[in-house]
Amino acid sequence: MFKALVIENDEQGYRSLLKDLPESQLPDHDVTLDVSYSSLNYKDALAICNKGPIVRQFPMVPGIDFVGRVTASRHPDWKEDDVALLTGWGVGEKQWGGLAQKASVSGDWLVRPPATLSPLQTMAIGTAGLTAMLCVMALEKQGITPEQGPVLVTGASGGVGSYSVSLLARLGYQVIASSGRTSDHAYLIDTLGAASVIDREELSQPGKPLAKERWAAAIDSVGSHTLANVLAATQRDGAVAACGMAQGLDLPASVAPFILRGVTLAGVDSVMCPKPLRQQAWQRLGELMDSERLSKLSRVILLSEAREGAQALLDGKVQGRLIVDCR
């Protein structure tokens, strides 16, 4: 038997419960693991609290990322006692995820954590840190350098935003952080390394098709009017990496930034990210993130506290990352 957070949806309604399950209920995949740590991401919180159409089938164990130790494997790349990391691939949505003491997944979805990171540190980074690194790499691919000017990060107090600010600052960029919580200003500047903070209300309302140029590039996890305004204020030949939809899926924007300033909008998807790019991003995370930095970006909760943590995340009461100890 093992403990798991299970989402059910039947005649009794939609609900998430901490349950004891027999191992025979695990999906039939080629690698089975004892989960050490998972985490709570925005997508997990939406699923657990029934605030979005995240879960595709029921019952479902949420948790879109986890790290653990292999206990059985029929996959040629993995053997017993290997430490493996999983993010994305529909886990926690279409396939049982990591908010449990055990998991069974395809070995093709797993990667080896960087040798410089412990399992706890790996999950302190998790999907949020991976997404942030992929966004930074997308800006680098467009030729964005620190010398070109400041980089804006929206949703800067959240998981992806926090890592985006920290990684950009570590790489020498001047970072403008956008946040709706004035209480987080010291965290963003003193802890993460942002140069300045602006109120998210500056960007969240309908704006002009083209605005004064304010930043060379941006990482946006918000979408909707915020992304439209970010694009409108991006400098000539700048780039914006878009990876989220906290404000909405819509994009009420104009083509003006693209055809008059040559701005590039780069979409970033960490769920189905090809394995070579995924491994490259993790390698860089292992080089850029240290224990002191990671300890400031996350805190640990128990599996039994995951439901309350999910609600706190949706309520905007969580700073950085919530790691879930599943042992």
Side-chain angles (χ1 to χ4, degrees):
M1 302 290 286
F2 66 99
K3 291 189 180 299
L5 184 63
V6 181
I7 299 174
E8 298 177 346
N9 189 16
D10 51 28
E11 65 276 1
Q12 298 179 45
Y14 190 107
R15 61 204 182 278
S16 56
L17 307 165
L18 188 64
K19 301 180 71 172
D20 290 310
L21 300 177
E23 289 190 38
S24 60
Q25 286 197 21
L26 284 169
D28 184 21
H29 290 299
D30 55 15
V31 179
T32 303
L33 308 95
D34 283 341
V35 178
S36 301
Y37 300 98
S38 184
S39 73
L40 280 177
N41 298 276
Y42 188 71
K43 189 180 288 186
D44 297 319
L46 291 173
I48 292 167
C49 299
N50 192 21
K51 297 298 183 181
I54 304 299
V55 177
R56 311 294 177 84
Q57 61 186 40
F58 300 91
M60 177 58 62
V61 175
I64 65 171
D65 53 22
F66 67 84
V67 63
R69 189 171 297 277
V70 174
T71 57
S73 174
R74 305 190 303 272
H75 193 282
D77 293 345
W78 300 98
K79 64 182 187 302
E80 189 174 342
D81 286 332
D82 282 347
V83 177
L85 164 69
L86 187 147
T87 62
W89 300 114
V91 167
E93 304 174 66
K94 297 181 289 186
Q95 307 283 346
W96 279 21
L99 288 172
Q101 292 178 324
K102 289 186 175 292
S104 178
V105 298
S106 168
D108 292 340
W109 303 339
L110 298 168
V111 297
R112 299 185 191 280
T116 54
L117 299 173
S118 70
L120 176 62
Q121 291 170 333
T122 300
M123 203 40 48
I125 295 171
T127 296
L130 173 64
T131 304
M133 189 72 251
L134 291 171
C135 286
V136 172
M137 291 165 63
L139 296 183
E140 292 174 337
K141 185 177 180 180
Q142 296 301 321
I144 303 299
T145 64
E147 293 73 30
Q148 290 173 264
V151 178
L152 173 74
V153 175
T154 65
S157 297
V160 174
S162 292
Y163 273 94
S164 297
V165 173
S166 183
L167 288 167
L168 287 166
R170 182 71 180 267
L171 290 167
Y173 291 87
Q174 178 188 348
V175 182
I176 302 171
S178 170
S179 174
R181 303 197 297 253
T182 56
S183 59
D184 286 346
H185 286 200
Y187 165 72
L188 292 166
I189 294 173
D190 299 335
T191 301
L192 301 187
S196 60
V197 181
I198 63 173
D199 194 299
R200 68 182 178 198
E201 290 300 317
E202 290 188 34
L203 302 170
S204 63
Q205 303 303 316
K208 299 178 180 179
L210 210 59
K212 179 182 177 181
E213 298 176 47
R214 299 177 65 182
W215 33 77
I219 294 176
D220 175 68
S221 61
V222 179
S224 192
H225 290 292
T226 296
L227 177 54
N229 288 320
V230 168
L231 289 164
T234 300
Q235 295 172 12
R236 179 172 298 279
D237 296 324
V240 176
C243 64
M245 47 123 206
Q247 187 179 10
L249 279 168
D250 60 322
L251 181 56
S254 151
V255 297
F258 310 119
I259 63 175
L260 298 179
R261 290 183 182 161
V263 171
T264 296
L265 176 58
V268 173
D269 169 35
S270 66
V271 176
M272 304 302 291
C273 173
K275 197 166 185 176
L277 181 60
R278 196 181 290 259
Q279 291 173 321
Q280 181 185 353
W282 275 108
Q283 183 61 39
R284 291 196 64 189
L285 285 163
E287 295 166 358
L288 291 169
M289 304 306 297
D290 53 54
S291 57
E292 180 181 359
R293 194 174 294 260
L294 287 170
S295 66
K296 295 176 180 177
L297 283 163
S298 60
R299 65 182 177 90
V300 179
I301 63 173
L302 301 176
L303 181 59
S304 59
E305 300 172 305
R307 286 173 293 177
E308 292 76 13
Q311 188 60 59
L313 185 59
L314 293 182
D315 290 342
K317 297 178 180 177
V318 175
Q319 191 180 75
R321 291 269 293 161
L322 285 179
I323 308 167
V324 182
D325 189 339
C326 298
R327 297 170 298 172

